[in-house]
């Protein structure tokens, strides 16, 4: 290792040690389960706002037919909600292979309604024996700093307070409702259901998994700032930039930490640790400097101590991640691939392989 690399490694270790601690006292499952509630309350009040509660709904199959050369089925769904006289609906797509056994599933928050699309190699997923239930995130709530047009109208009365939910919490709420759909249908292998999203929707998948333990897997693809990457000493996107550009993603309190990351009583390893003991997989890309692969890796490394109390973890011995190397043995995983900010076929196959294992 060169002197420059040695210096970078020492600097990385020093920075990692400055993160707020996950545990308050003893490192046991019982202590963490108590602490986990506190961590969830912190992230709800200071970053995302709490995920809205369950609302009764009905599901209609609008259309259904065989697709993918006759190897699978696609259904066009509509979810209908009513609360206190206010109604809201959003569409979803359900695909699954033709087989008689329970199917492993992805709950996919996507930027499109199309099946397949640029982020969604649907036939190949079917060929591996997996199903997907997906939705276009803007069908749930538009990606603008406006509240009242989408699902938020079921819950929000008047202007948002400092701690009321942002759009990430609303999209996470929708992911849990699609999970409800799967469980009601009885076609999914309940031990192999994963939440998946890319970029801002990777943040959404993490927050959904942190709040809903029925997701046995969470796949965060290039989620970066305010997702899987530590905010302290971060390269690329910062809390200041993201809260000025996308204030609606978060609760209003989060903007208070612009240029004050060192004062936050939390960091993103809190989010990853909340998913334990379920499996979280963080995917990064070498050229995605904005998302900061190193800080995504360090967040996994910091969250690993919670996985260890469940008898999981391991495989994070490097201080700086190497491109192409797969990290993690059980419960928490990380990989940086070559390339740019994208949810690729390679990413899907990596996530499928981990769930199959």
């Amino acid at each position: 290792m060169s002197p420059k690399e040695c210096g970078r490694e020492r600097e990385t270790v020093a920075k990692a040690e400055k993160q707020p601690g996950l545990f308050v006292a003893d490192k046991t499952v019982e202590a963490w389960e108590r602490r986990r509630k506190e961590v969830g309350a912190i992230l709800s009040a200071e970053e995302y706002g709490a995920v809205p509660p369950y609302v009764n709904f009905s599901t209609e199959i609008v259309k259904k037919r065989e697709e993918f050369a006759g190897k699978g089925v696609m259904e066009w769904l509509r979810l209908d909600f009513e609360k206190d006289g206010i109604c809201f609906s959003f569409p979803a797509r359900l695909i699954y292979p033709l087989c008689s056994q329970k199917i492993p599933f992805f709950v996919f928050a996507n930027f499109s309604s199309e099946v397949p699309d640029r982020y969604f190699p649907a036939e190949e997923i079917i060929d591996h024996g997996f199903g997907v239930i997906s939705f276009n995130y803007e069908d749930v709530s538009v990606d603008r700093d406006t509240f009242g047009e989408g699902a938020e109208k079921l819950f929000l009365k008047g202007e948002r307070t400092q701690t009321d939910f942002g759009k990430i919490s609303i999209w996470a709420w929708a992911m849990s409702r699609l999970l409800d759909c799967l469980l009601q249908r009885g076609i999914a292998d309940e031990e192999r259901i994963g939440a998946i999203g890319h970029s801002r929707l990777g943040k959404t998948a993490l927050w959904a998994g942190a709040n809903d333990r029925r997701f046995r897997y969470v796949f965060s693809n290039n989620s970066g700032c305010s997702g899987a990457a530590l905010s302290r000493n971060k390269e690329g996107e910062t809390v200041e930039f993201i809260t000025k550009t996308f204030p609606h993603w978060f609760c209003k309190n989060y903007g208070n930490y612009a240029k004050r990351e060192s004062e936050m009583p939390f960091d993103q390893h809190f989010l990853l640790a909340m998913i334990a003991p379920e499996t979280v997989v963080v995917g990064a890309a070498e050229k995605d400097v904005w998302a900061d692969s190193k800080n995504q890796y360090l967040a996994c490394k910091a969250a690993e101590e919670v996985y260890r109390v469940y008898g999981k973890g391991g495989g994070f011995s490097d201080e700086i991640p190497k491109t192409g190397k797969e990290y993690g043995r059980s419960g928490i995983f990380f990989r940086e691939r070559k390339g740019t900010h994208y949810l690729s076929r390679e990413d899907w196959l990596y996530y499928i392989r981990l769930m199959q294992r």
Side-chain angles (χ1 to χ4, degrees):
M1 182 180 291
S2 70
K4 182 178 180 180
E5 289 173 325
C6 286
R8 184 184 175 198
E9 183 167 313
R10 285 194 297 271
E11 182 185 17
T12 300
V13 174
K15 288 177 178 178
E17 290 173 349
K18 295 178 182 178
Q19 301 306 322
L22 287 163
F23 289 92
V24 173
D26 57 316
K27 294 185 178 182
T28 64
V29 170
E30 294 74 21
W32 169 249
E33 289 296 336
R34 290 191 297 271
R35 174 63 171 156
R36 184 181 181 277
K37 294 178 182 178
E38 298 173 356
V39 167
I42 291 169
L43 294 177
S44 292
E46 303 296 333
E47 187 169 11
Y48 302 108
V51 173
Y54 175 86
V55 173
N56 285 327
F57 70 97
S58 60
T59 305
E60 180 179 349
I61 301 174
V62 177
K63 183 167 60 172
K64 177 179 178 179
R65 70 185 183 205
E66 287 191 7
E67 290 279 355
F68 316 110
K71 295 175 291 186
V73 173
M74 182 154 69
E75 299 181 10
W76 288 254
L77 307 178
R78 190 183 70 239
L79 283 66
D80 298 313
F81 301 83
E82 191 274 333
K83 180 176 180 288
D84 300 330
I86 298 173
C87 298
F88 175 75
S89 300
F90 73 91
R93 301 288 184 270
L94 176 66
I95 67 168
Y96 52 91
L98 286 169
C99 64
S100 58
Q101 62 192 28
K102 293 289 185 78
I103 301 162
F105 261 92
F106 292 99
V107 177
F108 181 30
N110 197 9
F111 295 97
S112 166
S113 300
E114 297 301 313
V115 181
D117 82 343
R118 63 195 294 256
Y119 292 134
F120 191 0
E123 184 176 357
E124 189 158 14
I125 295 169
I126 290 284
D127 288 343
H128 281 83
F130 281 69
V132 182
I133 187 167
S134 64
F135 70 104
N136 181 337
Y137 77 129
E138 288 206 294
D139 285 337
V140 173
S141 187
V142 294
D143 194 358
R144 296 193 300 271
D145 193 11
T146 58
F147 288 78
E149 304 168 37
E152 65 271 12
K153 68 184 180 181
L154 295 170
F155 311 101
L156 194 62
K157 309 301 180 186
E159 293 295 317
R160 284 199 302 156
T161 68
Q162 289 296 115
T163 59
D164 277 335
F165 55 77
K167 295 296 179 85
I168 285 174
S169 283
I170 299 170
W171 301 326
W173 170 86
M175 296 188 82
S176 286
R177 302 295 73 79
L178 293 188
L179 176 56
D180 291 332
C181 285
L182 284 180
L183 297 179
Q184 290 166 6
R185 291 286 294 274
I187 60 176
D189 177 350
E190 295 183 16
E191 296 303 313
R192 290 192 293 166
I193 300 177
I196 184 170
H198 169 64
S199 194
R200 69 200 64 179
L201 300 180
K203 309 181 208 300
T204 300
L206 289 170
W207 189 226
N211 284 277
D212 193 337
R213 281 174 151 174
R214 297 176 301 168
F215 288 112
R216 301 302 194 190
Y217 293 80
V218 179
F219 301 98
S220 160
N221 197 77
N222 299 177
S223 63
C225 181
S226 308
L230 295 175
S231 295
R232 286 165 170 80
N233 306 298
K234 189 182 177 301
E235 297 177 2
E237 192 171 30
T238 62
V239 172
E240 179 188 24
F241 183 92
I242 203 168
T243 54
K244 283 186 175 179
T245 310
F246 306 107
H248 53 288
W249 291 357
F250 310 98
C251 71
K252 291 182 178 181
N253 273 345
Y254 194 42
N256 296 334
Y257 297 108
K259 293 185 177 181
R260 297 175 55 220
E261 289 90 344
S262 63
E263 300 175 35
M264 296 192 307
F266 63 94
D267 211 327
Q268 295 310 114
H269 60 310
F270 278 38
L271 175 61
L272 300 183
M274 277 191 70
I275 297 167
E278 313 309 335
T279 298
V280 60
V281 184
V282 174
E286 182 183 22
K287 294 182 180 179
D288 190 4
V289 178
W290 197 240
D292 193 343
S293 291
K294 182 187 73 176
N295 269 26
Q296 291 184 81
Y297 173 80
L298 291 176
C300 293
K301 194 175 175 70
E304 188 193 8
E305 67 171 332
V306 171
Y307 279 86
R308 284 199 290 267
V309 304
Y310 291 100
K312 298 185 176 185
F316 286 87
S317 57
D318 292 343
E319 296 301 332
I320 298 172
K322 297 178 174 64
T323 303
K325 182 174 179 179
E326 297 180 9
Y327 293 90
R329 297 195 188 102
S330 176
I332 184 165
F333 299 86
F334 174 89
R335 188 191 67 147
E336 177 193 83
R337 58 160 169 79
K338 292 183 178 181
T340 59
H341 188 76
Y342 196 82
L343 177 53
S344 69
R345 171 183 175 275
E346 179 183 350
D347 295 318
W348 278 103
L349 293 179
Y350 170 56
Y351 302 147
I352 284 171
R353 178 160 50 83
L354 282 178
M355 203 188 291
Q356 286 173 328
R357 187 175 75 176

